Amino acid sequence: MVSAFEWYGCLLLLTGVARSVSQRTDPLTPPAPEYAHSIRLDGDIILGGLFPVHARGERGAPCGELKKEKGIHRLEAMLFTIDLINKDPDLLPNVTLGARILDTCSRDTYALEQSLTFVQALIERDSTDVRCTSGEQPIFAKPDKIIGVIGAAASSVSIMVANILRLFKIPQISYASTAPELSDNTRYDFFSRVVPPDSYQAQAMLDIVTAMGWNYVSTLASEGNYGESGVEAFVQISRESGGVCIAQSLKIPREPRLGEFDKIILRLLETPNARAIVMFANEDDIRRVLDAAKRNNQTGHFLWVGSDSWGSKISPVVQQESVAEGAITILPKRASIEAFDRYFKSRSLSNNRRNVWFAEFWEENFGCKLGMHGKRPGSPKKCTGLEKVGRDSTYEQEGKVQFVMDAVYAMANALHRMHRDLCSGYPGLCPRMSNIDGKELLGYIRNVSFNGSAKTLVVFNENGDAPGRYDIYQYQITNRSAEYRIIGHWTDQLHLNMNAMQWASEDSSVPASVCSLPCQTGERKKVVKGVSCCWHCERCEGYHYQASEFTCQLCPYEQRPDQNRTGCQPIPIIKLEWHSPWAVVPVFIAILGILATTFVVVTFVRYNDTPIVRASGREMSYVLLTGIFLCYVTTFPMIAAPEVAVCSFRRIFLGLGMCFSYAALLTKTNRIHRIFEQGKQSVAAPRFISPASQLVITFSLISVQLMGVFVWFVADPPHTVVDYGEQRTQDPENARGVLKCDISDLSLICSLGYSILLMVTCTVYAIKTRGVPETFNEAKPIGFTMYTTCIIWLAFIPIFFGTAQSAERMYIQTTTLTVSLSLSASVSLGMLYMPKVYIIILHPEQNVPKRKRSFKAIVTAATMTNKLSQLASERPNGEVKTELCESVDNSSEYRLENHCLRYLNIYFL
């Protein structure tokens, strides 16, 4: 027991607080001041009550003006509920509830002093050293034992009182305190409340802000536990959810200086994008904030989100309707209790003598004065006592009346269950309940479950909090009036009717309160450091796509971003089409070449035994024409759509046509060279110059190419690939994958390299045999053919390999290669066979056999021709011939001088 409060004995004796109500007799005479701070109702079980009957006093006074609604309405609600319980035969039968009700004067320190009254019965008093001023022994009035307290209203008051009551294990049920701090069951373990804590309210307000699409808001709180803890809960929940950022958190001082609210408005305007203002402030501060916004011409700029301290109250918005338009407020779900309305309207000075503050309320409510001791000395009107509430004055039930009644009913239900368990059928209080254990009663309170005065379920969680149930209001202005309209509700989750909302602007869309506008599709958010709701939008460039809200990722190599850059799609695959200009030209040339080659072959076959065909070397001519034909045919597999079969044909024919052609030409030029070189040394014919030998040599050379292709097939079987790098442009829209055969540039060089080697070797022999007369085995036409072919392939190399980085690489290289093959074949066909066909077809008279000559005569004539060519530049015309003819050996069996003259005449025709 606590002995530090012994001074209460004399104080209680002098003031007579416990009997203050019973000493009042005249209903028209206000009570004496010393008795006007508490109400006492007798009963078997006494409940304490704390109500803000008066406002906070000024200039050192503890109490100020009377609060008609928040004070008297709530106080009468407790008295009314006790009456109902005492009359209810099913609730606490044969047990009467009493009350001890105190005024907190809306001040936590004063409320603490008053609440000590509740614990006096639990204080052990030592009167041995206590004497009254008269020297007599003090007589201690037996204090009422308070088993539970209803209240208080303000969170700061409840926190202060709860710290005292928990020491004496007195349960407390609040009807209006919503501070989240009171949910701490380790510090306020005997505290419960029938209203949801501000943490629920903060969650509901955050859900509203989120539903509006507002992610950048400022907060404004009245200094004190309610405002600061409410904003703290909102900030904490918003930080945990991560969807809303706080631009500024401002605080309204308890005693604001002149111009303080204008400064607050100007500070809020420092972040103009944060138009939504979440307010946990008392109604006076709300009114002054709205007034400052109006004074600074900010009507329509701010989007107010008010807590239950704003709710649906008229006082904050009076004469400030335009600046408050569109404000969204929240209020615990409640209902007007009609039975209380009837009760309160029936109260009068004569039938409500138990309420020591009712006379003061009467004067305040009707604007009159009660006798000489009335509280309104300046009022000229005298109260008659016949005035009637609701008839001679306006009346509207205060919003927390329902919760006051639910708090009293919760205490009564807990006592009822406790009585049922401990007294089981015993009428009235049994001995086991004569001294009620507060901790045991707390357990019963936390387990109650019943339908309250508004038919809503009343329960408590493990922290003593009631479930969150809120109505959502919006202050709307119509042509006829301005009023609060319900636009939704919150019960664990938000239910909002967006269609019922109305804004100050003519635009029906929800106003914005965001730091940064949403990024477009294909753009990522680059968040401003420290402010997660502010960002810069950056487009995902190149081959990147928007992988998430904040990141861009590179598409797989074979894919590109889609049109919105929200994903990837396969890169289109292309190939050389037959109708493409890059294919039409080579195909046209190849077709002409095939027709021409076919015509030559047919002509040669038809005139196979004629002198020109025979002199051309029929066997080698057919091999050469086969190579020319293959060069033309190669164009078609090079342009055809790549597949395994086409790729196989490409490998085979790519170098085979050239190999056929230049193997045959090399064999021919080599034969001519060997014949004339041998003729200079001996009259005997060289070896391997017969047609059969020539074919063997030619096909031996061709077999090397075929062997290389075979090894290529074994080492790397032909297959198709899609080359995504060839046309991988900077703009992904133009990117294409090229379907091609798996033939690298190195493989192409190796395949053509052998044929080019044959071509170069053939050219060398053509140069060496350039002095042989045209009549002898086509040496000069072969030389011109090889020179032209070399020029073609020298032009091919820079064009083919110089376009390796071009976007048109596939088209250019394919066309260049096929045209080069066709031109090489055309040169051979035109220079070697077209003159013969011309003679065969148009001049058959020249297609006759010549007189045969010996090998020695042919060689000697060729030698003379060479010498003639060398001396022609040194001697006048005619001298060369005479000298050469005279130098011939007169003993030659063929009379070479005659042969020389004949040959020269033929040569220079």
Side-chain angles (χ1 to χ4, degrees):
M1 303 294 285
V2 182
S3 60
F5 303 99
E6 296 172 348
W7 52 276
Y8 266 99
C10 292
L11 178 62
L12 295 175
L13 180 63
L14 293 173
T15 59
V17 172
R19 295 172 178 81
S20 61
V21 176
S22 60
Q23 294 177 2
R24 295 178 57 219
T25 56
D26 185 1
L28 297 180
T29 303
E34 63 267 13
Y35 299 135
H37 67 282
S38 68
I39 296 175
R40 181 179 181 277
L41 295 181
D42 289 327
D44 300 324
I45 298 175
I46 306 298
L47 302 180
L50 293 172
F51 295 92
V53 180
H54 292 87
R56 179 193 300 265
E58 297 180 357
R59 299 173 184 173
C63 301
E65 61 183 10
L66 183 77
K67 289 188 173 183
K68 297 192 296 180
E69 289 81 14
K70 288 187 176 181
I72 300 301
H73 282 208
R74 295 176 182 179
L75 182 153
E76 288 291 344
M78 180 174 179
L79 297 176
F80 172 63
T81 307
I82 290 176
D83 292 341
L84 294 178
I85 294 171
N86 288 336
K87 296 175 182 178
D88 191 344
D90 298 323
L91 188 60
L92 288 175
N94 299 317
V95 176
T96 303
L97 288 181
R100 185 69 180 275
I101 301 175
L102 304 176
D103 180 10
T104 64
C105 290
S106 305
R107 187 189 296 270
D108 49 5
T109 53
Y110 183 80
L112 177 62
E113 295 176 5
Q114 293 295 302
S115 63
L116 294 176
T117 305
F118 297 147
V119 301
Q120 58 182 308
L122 303 176
I123 299 175
E124 181 180 353
R125 296 177 177 82
D126 183 7
S127 60
T128 56
D129 297 332
V130 179
R131 291 290 185 274
C132 293
T133 55
S134 61
E136 299 178 356
Q137 287 285 340
I139 301 174
F140 290 96
K142 185 179 180 180
D144 295 321
K145 182 180 180 182
I146 308 299
I147 59 91
V149 174
I150 305 300
S155 295
S156 57
V157 175
S158 289
I159 288 173
M160 191 73 77
V161 172
N163 286 319
I164 291 296
L165 297 182
R166 70 184 296 267
L167 296 177
F168 297 93
K169 299 181 180 180
I170 299 176
Q172 176 185 1
I173 302 178
S174 173
Y175 49 83
S177 298
T178 57
E181 182 181 353
L182 290 166
S183 297
D184 186 353
N185 203 36
T186 61
R187 295 178 57 191
Y188 307 103
D189 46 346
F190 280 82
F191 178 84
S192 304
R193 49 187 162 189
V194 291
V195 289
D198 285 340
S199 56
Y200 292 163
Q201 183 176 199
Q203 181 65 62
M205 296 174 75
L206 178 64
D207 290 347
I208 293 171
V209 168
T210 304
M212 295 294 104
W214 301 335
N215 65 0
Y216 196 51
V217 303
S218 294
T219 62
L220 188 58
S222 291
E223 186 176 5
N225 187 269
Y226 171 78
E228 294 178 31
S229 61
V231 165
E232 182 181 354
F234 180 86
V235 172
Q236 181 179 354
I237 295 173
S238 64
R239 187 181 296 117
E240 292 173 355
S241 67
V244 176
C245 296
I246 308 301
Q248 296 188 76
S249 287
L250 305 183
K251 189 185 299 183
I252 303 173
R254 291 182 187 271
E255 303 294 338
R257 298 177 181 176
L258 184 65
E260 187 71 34
F261 289 93
D262 291 322
K263 293 180 181 179
I264 290 175
I265 294 299
L266 293 178
R267 286 195 60 188
L268 291 175
L269 289 174
E270 292 176 0
T271 52
N273 288 345
R275 296 177 59 190
I277 311 298
V278 177
M279 299 182 67
F280 283 84
N282 60 59
E283 56 186 280
D284 291 335
D285 288 341
I286 294 170
R287 178 177 51 79
R288 287 183 282 185
V289 167
L290 295 178
D291 182 58
K294 182 179 180 181
R295 193 165 50 250
N296 285 273
N297 297 320
Q298 296 302 319
T299 299
H301 174 75
F302 294 111
L303 307 170
W304 311 105
V305 181
S307 63
D308 60 349
S309 61
W310 186 338
S312 59
K313 296 174 183 174
I314 300 298
S315 57
V317 298
V318 171
Q319 297 181 351
Q320 298 174 145
E321 292 81 1
S322 59
V323 73
E325 184 179 5
I328 300 174
T329 61
I330 189 172
L331 198 61
K333 188 179 286 292
R334 64 187 185 185
S336 180
I337 311 301
E338 294 183 3
F340 177 78
D341 290 339
R342 293 192 297 270
Y343 163 80
F344 194 80
K345 290 179 180 180
S346 67
R347 296 297 89 190
S348 66
L349 292 173
S350 59
N351 62 13
N352 197 20
R353 298 168 60 186
R354 60 184 179 180
N355 185 346
V356 296
W357 297 286
F358 197 71
E360 186 179 353
F361 165 78
W362 198 269
E363 289 183 330
E364 187 73 22
N365 191 54
F366 295 109
C368 59
K369 179 181 178 182
L370 283 173
M372 295 178 60
H373 302 284
K375 294 292 185 179
R376 297 174 62 90
S379 178
K381 180 182 176 182
K382 186 175 182 180
C383 301
T384 64
L386 300 177
E387 296 87 357
K388 189 172 182 61
V389 176
R391 184 192 67 186
D392 301 317
S393 65
T394 59
Y395 167 78
E396 183 179 357
Q397 187 179 125
E398 201 275 332
K400 293 293 193 297
V401 165
Q402 168 197 340
F403 300 109
V404 174
M405 296 180 65
D406 287 343
V408 178
Y409 267 113
M411 192 72 74
N413 275 274
L415 289 169
H416 178 77
R417 295 189 179 187
M418 187 178 189
H419 182 270
R420 184 185 59 190
D421 293 343
L422 300 182
C423 299
S424 61
Y426 187 90
L429 290 180
C430 63
R432 294 183 62 183
M433 285 190 68
S434 59
N435 188 15
I436 296 176
D437 182 9
K439 191 170 184 179
E440 187 177 5
L441 176 59
L442 177 65
Y444 282 100
I445 291 174
R446 295 291 174 85
N447 290 316
V448 298
S449 178
F450 63 96
N451 287 327
S453 55
K455 307 303 179 185
T456 56
L457 184 65
V458 177
V459 291
F460 300 100
N461 63 13
E462 64 277 6
N463 295 322
D465 295 330
R469 290 187 292 261
Y470 297 96
D471 283 326
I472 314 298
Y473 294 84
Q474 187 183 38
Y475 189 68
Q476 299 180 358
I477 299 178
T478 61
N479 294 331
R480 290 178 289 181
S481 63
E483 60 182 350
Y484 293 95
R485 291 185 179 178
I486 294 179
I487 58 172
H489 64 276
W490 190 93
T491 306
D492 295 331
Q493 61 181 357
L494 181 66
H495 302 275
L496 201 61
N497 182 7
M498 301 293 289
N499 295 327
M501 305 187 75
Q502 179 179 308
W503 305 98
S505 61
E506 296 180 358
D507 188 1
S508 59
S509 61
V510 178
S513 181
V514 295
C515 182
S516 302
L517 294 176
C519 293
Q520 298 179 358
T521 54
E523 295 180 342
R524 76 177 185 94
K525 294 179 180 178
K526 185 177 181 181
V527 179
V528 177
K529 187 175 181 180
V531 188
S532 61
C533 297
C534 299
W535 57 78
H536 304 293
C537 295
E538 290 185 351
R539 184 162 180 81
C540 298
E541 297 293 346
Y543 289 82
H544 291 78
Y545 72 99
Q546 184 184 359
S548 68
E549 192 176 5
F550 303 99
T551 59
C552 293
Q553 288 187 2
L554 185 65
C555 286
Y557 191 70
E558 69 280 0
Q559 295 183 351
R560 67 181 183 183
D562 56 22
Q563 187 173 4
N564 295 328
R565 290 187 175 269
T566 55
C568 296
Q569 62 184 6
I571 295 177
I573 298 175
I574 61 171
K575 59 184 184 297
L576 185 57
E577 301 291 345
W578 292 104
H579 56 77
S580 170
W582 297 98
V584 170
V585 173
V587 168
F588 179 72
I589 296 174
I591 292 175
L592 291 179
I594 290 172
L595 293 175
T597 305
T598 304
F599 177 74
V600 171
V601 171
V602 170
T603 302
F604 265 54
V605 170
R606 182 176 180 182
Y607 298 95
N608 189 54
D609 293 325
T610 60
I612 288 182
V613 175
R614 295 178 65 186
S616 300
R618 290 174 294 187
E619 297 81 1
M620 297 305 296
S621 292
Y622 290 134
V623 173
L624 181 56
L625 288 170
T626 301
I628 293 172
F629 182 83
L630 290 177
C631 285
Y632 287 124
V633 170
T634 303
T635 298
F636 297 95
M638 294 301 295
I639 294 177
E643 57 183 36
V644 175
V646 171
C647 293
S648 301
F649 282 117
R650 284 188 185 183
R651 291 191 181 188
I652 294 171
F653 291 119
L654 185 59
L656 188 60
M658 292 178 62
C659 186
F660 263 82
S661 299
Y662 300 126
L665 287 175
L666 177 59
T667 303
K668 274 191 172 189
T669 54
N670 176 263
R671 176 173 176 267
I672 295 172
H673 177 72
R674 287 190 295 114
I675 287 174
F676 285 97
E677 287 295 321
Q678 180 71 20
K680 293 178 183 179
Q681 302 173 5
S682 171
V683 296
R687 301 169 59 188
F688 308 118
I689 61 173
S690 64
S693 299
Q694 297 296 296
L695 288 175
V696 171
I697 294 172
T698 301
F699 282 107
S700 297
L701 295 174
I702 295 172
S703 65
V704 176
Q705 173 75 17
L706 294 175
M707 184 61 68
V709 171
F710 175 76
V711 173
W712 190 8
F713 268 76
V714 174
D716 184 18
H719 59 278
T720 60
V721 295
V722 179
D723 187 354
Y724 292 99
E726 183 172 320
Q727 294 196 24
R728 193 175 180 85
T729 58
Q730 290 185 349
D731 185 2
E733 287 296 319
N734 299 326
R736 298 292 184 270
V738 179
L739 178 63
K740 57 168 59 176
C741 293
D742 187 22
I743 301 177
S744 64
D745 291 345
L746 179 61
S747 301
L748 179 68
I749 293 173
C750 293
S751 180
L752 295 175
Y754 179 66
S755 300
I756 293 175
L757 177 63
L758 294 177
M759 180 185 70
V760 172
T761 306
C762 184
T763 304
V764 171
Y765 277 109
I767 294 172
K768 287 184 177 182
T769 58
R770 67 185 183 279
V772 177
E774 185 178 350
T775 311
F776 302 106
N777 246 353
E778 313 171 305
K780 290 191 184 311
I782 292 175
F784 288 129
T785 298
M786 298 315 302
Y787 305 152
T788 306
T789 303
C790 286
I791 293 173
I792 291 172
W793 286 98
L794 285 174
F796 161 80
I797 291 174
I799 295 174
F800 186 88
F801 294 101
T803 58
Q805 304 301 323
S806 173
E808 305 291 335
R809 171 186 174 184
M810 176 187 67
Y811 305 109
I812 296 175
Q813 290 188 344
T814 302
T815 302
T816 302
L817 179 59
T818 54
V819 169
S820 296
L821 288 171
S822 296
L823 289 179
S824 299
S826 299
V827 168
S828 300
L829 186 66
M831 290 189 174
L832 297 179
Y833 292 102
M834 284 305 171
K836 296 177 174 59
V837 173
Y838 175 77
I839 294 174
I840 292 172
I841 301 298
L842 298 179
H843 296 282
E845 70 277 3
Q846 297 181 16
N847 191 9
V848 294
K850 304 292 183 181
R851 183 169 62 85
K852 294 184 178 180
R853 300 174 184 177
S854 66
F855 174 75
K856 183 177 180 180
I858 296 172
V859 171
T860 302
T863 304
M864 291 173 63
T865 303
N866 289 335
K867 291 182 179 181
L868 179 63
S869 299
Q870 295 173 1
L871 295 174
S873 61
E874 302 175 2
R875 303 291 181 88
N877 292 338
E879 295 181 8
V880 178
K881 304 180 205 177
T882 305
E883 183 178 346
L884 287 174
C885 290
E886 290 176 354
S887 67
V888 176
D889 187 4
N890 294 327
S891 63
S892 176
E893 61 177 318
Y894 290 105
R895 300 181 183 278
L896 286 178
E897 62 276 6
N898 295 329
H899 289 285
C900 176
L901 291 172
R902 289 196 189 101
Y903 174 73
L904 292 175
N905 289 334
I906 295 172
Y907 185 77
F908 288 106
L909 284 176

